[in-house]
Amino acid sequence: MSRRRRIRSTFVGALRSFVRRKTAVFFTFFFPVLLILIFGALVGTRPTGGGLFAREPSYYLPGYLAVVVVFTPLSRVGSTIARHRDGNRFEKLATTPLRRWEWLLAHTLVNVAIIGLAGLLLLVLVVIVTGAEVVVGPVLLALVPLVVVGVALFCGLGAILGRIADSQDGVIAASNAVALPVWALSETLVPPTMLPAWFRPVTAFSPLTYFSRGVRTAADGGDPTGALAVLAVLAAAFFVAGAVAVPRTE
């Protein structure tokens, strides 16, 4: 079996597994929609006032997209590794030509496909529900590589968490413990000016900060190449580390 066929068969199996898990489908597609309806439509923004939502609606686009870019890969890849490990699946995979990076790549592609659809839905809803102004043009297409690279990064991190945690429950707990502060404090929903002065430089160490900057720049019609380049380098590093962390045997 060629490498392409190995990756494709693993991709198809992982995609079918996702579709069968109704809870995963709900949280990937409908939970972010609820956030948009709650914060975008019910709470709203106050560009001329103060408080957490004091910026224009388009400022919070990275925060909505980051819900699926961060939470879904971390929990899905991590829990899949824990589940495979409990079922001794990796011992069986060790007898096949499938390599660890091929396994992770196939699962990353599944997440890219799923999150790409969810991200498109969220983008449309943010514009319709919140009235966010997005500059439509060729630069807006940069959202595609930003999402792809961001998903790959957090798939790698999810693989690392799946290797470290000792159970599926442990993976979910670790994923939430990592994802929640990263999501909230990476220039997504909370502007840096609202953070303590001593903490603001810390956000530069979060990969999601560069995703937020890139998405916000592209939505405003600017060039997100710098943020995308940094995010791509970090994604490559996390993917390699994640591939190494994928168990071979248990």
Side-chain angles (χ1 to χ4, degrees):
M1 180 181 293
S2 65
R3 175 173 297 165
R4 180 177 297 180
R5 292 186 61 185
R6 293 197 301 267
I7 295 175
R8 183 176 60 186
S9 61
T10 306
F11 171 89
V12 172
L15 182 60
R16 291 176 177 174
S17 176
F18 170 81
V19 174
R20 288 195 298 265
R21 297 179 181 277
K22 307 303 180 183
T23 303
V25 175
F26 172 80
F27 277 100
T28 299
F29 287 93
F30 296 105
F31 179 67
V33 172
L34 292 178
L35 289 180
I36 294 175
L37 294 176
I38 292 173
F39 293 109
L42 297 181
V43 177
T45 61
R46 297 178 295 275
T48 59
L52 179 60
F53 295 96
R55 301 293 185 92
E56 62 280 358
S58 61
Y59 181 86
Y60 302 99
L61 175 60
Y64 296 128
L65 292 179
V67 174
V68 288
V69 170
V70 176
F71 284 87
T72 301
L74 285 180
S75 60
R76 276 195 51 75
V77 174
S79 61
T80 299
I81 287 180
R83 187 169 61 252
H84 279 26
R85 190 173 55 204
D86 291 342
N88 296 322
R89 290 285 302 276
F90 287 112
E91 292 186 357
K92 299 176 182 178
L93 289 177
T95 63
T96 71
L98 186 69
R99 298 183 178 181
R100 289 181 290 182
W101 71 265
E102 295 173 346
W103 184 93
L104 182 58
L105 176 60
H107 283 266
T108 299
L109 292 176
V110 170
N111 280 273
V112 166
I114 294 169
I115 294 169
L117 290 175
L120 179 60
L121 173 64
L122 294 179
L123 176 61
V124 173
L125 283 178
V126 168
V127 173
I128 294 176
V129 174
T130 70
E133 296 182 359
V134 176
V135 178
V136 179
V139 178
L140 191 61
L141 294 176
L143 293 180
V144 175
L146 282 166
V147 170
V148 171
V149 172
V151 171
L153 190 154
F154 287 102
C155 281
L157 182 55
I160 296 172
L161 294 180
R163 179 62 180 267
I164 295 175
D166 57 358
S167 65
Q168 293 187 53
D169 291 337
V171 169
I172 299 301
S175 298
N176 291 333
V178 171
L180 187 58
V182 168
W183 173 65
L185 301 175
S186 298
E187 299 185 12
T188 49
L189 298 180
V190 182
T193 54
M194 296 186 65
L195 298 173
W198 62 267
F199 187 81
R200 293 172 194 170
V202 177
T203 61
F205 292 94
S206 170
L208 191 61
T209 296
Y210 303 96
F211 173 82
S212 300
R213 293 175 180 175
V215 170
R216 195 168 290 122
T217 300
D220 291 339
D223 183 6
T225 303
L228 178 59
V230 174
L231 190 65
V233 171
L234 293 174
F238 274 94
F239 184 87
V240 171
V244 173
V246 173
R248 188 61 177 169
T249 57
E250 287 293 333

